[in-house]
Amino acid sequence: VAFTFNGVCLTSPDCVQATTEAELRGSQTLDLGSGTVQLSKSGRWLLLTNVVYDFSGPGIPGETVTCTLVDLTTGQRVSVPYTPSSLFPGSLSPYTLASDGTVLVTTSVPGTRVGESILSYGLWKQGKYAPIQFPPGAAIVPTALSDDASTIIGYGYPLDHPAPPSRIAAMDLASGKVTVVFQSKDSTQMPLFMAAGNNGRRVLYRIAAMNSPYGPAYVWDSASGATIPVPLADGELATDGTLSGTGD
């Protein structure tokens, strides 16, 4: 089991700056150092992401992001490109590692204007980067990769609309087919991805209000196209969740 501990004070008793620390516990116990950690469902791969902020200059702090993929069977460590952020600014997506060691990553490419850079999304595996080919007319901001690396899930927006409602979309990487998981009816709804089954055919999400990250939860099933409400007690709202590999 991999843990990320937030708000850790390494300088006791005077806490100069809190940090994030990661550990692996179980058949192997490892102090992974600073950063947030993901563990593949296969238990073989571990992805450690560390963000270091530089407050020395004026204005917005600079940041340096390092991502390290660890093969727990051999102990080999490899640097991989930057992983995508979650929907919330300043936080990284914790759903970017597949069981075969494939990582959903993002890189910057030059834009058409001077000094402009555009984010490009792709898959990194065994030292090779393959850009994701999105179908024409669709813009998806990937936030998650299914465990079998066959599907990406992200927040999608039509290119021809200046202020599109938020939606969650799933894209099959082999065919390029994009399927809408949820489309908000108005600006008061904000869908938040929480988890997916191993093949991305079932997606767990919640519908939050714009002023609150909590809300009712649903499971979307691609085979039937059905949206299944998750039963909660009266007055309860989902804050987060996970889904079994089979999606059942």
Side-chain angles (χ1 to χ4, degrees):
V1 180
F3 295 89
T4 297
F5 299 99
N6 297 307
V8 178
C9 244
L10 299 178
T11 54
S12 183
D14 297 323
C15 186
V16 177
Q17 183 177 350
T19 185
T20 301
E21 294 288 307
E23 288 187 14
L24 178 71
R25 297 179 183 178
S27 57
Q28 287 180 273
T29 299
L30 297 173
D31 182 353
L32 301 168
S34 297
T36 60
V37 63
Q38 294 181 57
L39 182 65
S40 67
K41 290 184 179 180
S42 63
R44 175 176 176 177
W45 303 95
L46 182 150
L47 184 66
L48 181 67
T49 303
N50 188 29
V51 183
V52 178
Y53 295 97
D54 181 7
F55 298 94
S56 60
I60 300 174
E63 66 176 30
T64 302
V65 182
T66 56
C67 299
T68 305
L69 182 68
V70 182
D71 185 342
L72 293 174
T73 62
T74 64
Q76 182 183 20
R77 292 177 172 239
V78 181
S79 294
V80 301
Y82 186 79
T83 56
S85 298
S86 70
L87 186 64
F88 298 105
S91 60
L92 299 173
S93 170
Y95 316 104
T96 58
L97 176 62
S99 274
D100 65 353
T102 300
V103 184
L104 173 65
V105 299
T106 180
T107 58
S108 294
V109 296
T112 56
R113 291 176 288 187
V114 176
E116 182 185 36
S117 62
I118 301 173
L119 290 180
S120 173
Y121 296 91
L123 301 180
W124 185 98
K125 183 180 180 181
Q126 296 180 352
K128 296 181 179 179
Y129 173 80
I132 296 173
Q133 303 297 326
F134 294 99
I140 300 174
V141 180
T143 193
L145 177 67
S146 64
D147 186 64
D148 64 358
S150 68
T151 305
I152 57 170
I153 298 102
Y155 299 98
Y157 308 86
L159 293 175
D160 58 350
H161 200 293
S166 296
R167 65 177 178 172
I168 296 176
M171 174 177 159
D172 180 81
L173 292 169
S175 65
K177 180 182 178 182
V178 176
T179 306
V180 175
V181 175
F182 173 81
Q183 178 87 42
S184 59
K185 296 179 180 179
D186 54 51
S187 60
T188 64
Q189 294 181 320
M190 182 172 63
L192 296 174
F193 170 83
M194 293 193 288
N198 286 348
N199 57 12
R201 303 295 173 86
R202 282 196 166 188
V203 174
L204 174 67
Y205 66 95
R206 67 186 186 271
I207 303 175
M210 296 304 293
N211 60 351
S212 171
Y214 316 126
Y218 302 87
V219 174
W220 169 80
D221 177 63
S222 66
S224 64
T227 297
I228 307 163
V230 176
L232 297 172
D234 290 344
E236 285 190 351
L237 297 173
T239 60
D240 208 339
T242 190
L243 195 64
S244 66
T246 59
D248 297 331

